[in-house]
Amino acid sequence: MGDERVFRLTGAVPNGMYSLYKLMYWRDTQPEVYARVRHIHLVGDYLGWMLSGQAKIDRSLAARTGALDVKNMVFSPEMTACAGLTPDMFPEVVTAGTVLGKVKPALARELGLTPDCLVVAGSHD
């Protein structure tokens, strides 16, 4: 795609620290594993999903994937296609502070949390 096009879409130049480029490496080195990928989560949104059942990612964390269209705040079909993925494999992009829901009841009991404990999308830093 070229650095300029990538920068216009994502606000960043290609860099191996971003998730998309790591996924491309796994695609090339572990194709049998990669073929089974159905969903992409980063640690923060994975924890939110496990706690609440809602797959959502805040904007700042989504930007760290290298696949976010920063003008439209959605995962870019063009960028995700570079890795053989689709935008719907990524969580929905939301603003930090968005309430995902309550901690799942069984999990709240297991963790000793109040059943009204909220799970909120937030950045990783």
Side-chain angles (χ1 to χ4, degrees), residues 41-52 54-58 61 91 100 119-125:
H41 289 283
L42 278 70
V43 173
D45 66 274
Y46 178 76
L47 290 172
W49 175 62
M50 293 299 292
L51 289 168
S52 72
Q54 296 296 310
K56 300 181 192 279
I57 186 170
D58 83 272
L61 191 53
L100 304 182
V119 180
V120 179
S123 178
H124 63 285
D125 286 342

Side-chain angles (χ1 to χ4, degrees), residues 6-118:
V6 171
F7 182 77
R8 277 190 272 130
L9 279 170
T10 68
V13 295
N15 189 302
M17 75 177 171
Y18 297 120
S19 307
L20 186 70
Y21 303 100
K22 293 174 185 175
L23 289 164
M24 292 166 81
Y25 171 80
W26 292 333
R27 176 200 61 201
D28 296 343
T29 61
Q30 298 182 37
E32 66 288 344
V33 174
Y34 196 79
R36 297 190 331 237
V37 172
R38 298 293 173 261
H39 303 281
I40 306 295
H41 289 283
L42 278 70
V43 173
D45 66 274
Y46 178 76
L47 290 172
W49 175 62
M50 293 299 292
L51 289 168
S52 72
Q54 296 296 310
K56 300 181 192 279
I57 186 170
D58 83 272
R59 292 174 176 183
S60 67
L61 191 53
R64 301 287 296 170
T65 65
L68 184 71
D69 174 338
V70 295
K71 290 182 182 170
N72 297 302
M73 286 298 148
V74 295
F75 285 100
S76 164
E78 191 174 354
M79 291 301 297
T80 57
C82 289
L85 304 169
T86 59
D88 63 335
M89 297 173 83
F90 291 82
E92 177 187 346
V93 180
V94 297
T95 57
T98 298
V99 175
L100 304 182
K102 294 180 182 178
V103 174
K104 295 175 185 176
L107 193 52
R109 282 191 301 278
E110 183 180 338
L111 296 173
L113 299 171
T114 174
D116 294 327
C117 183
L118 297 177

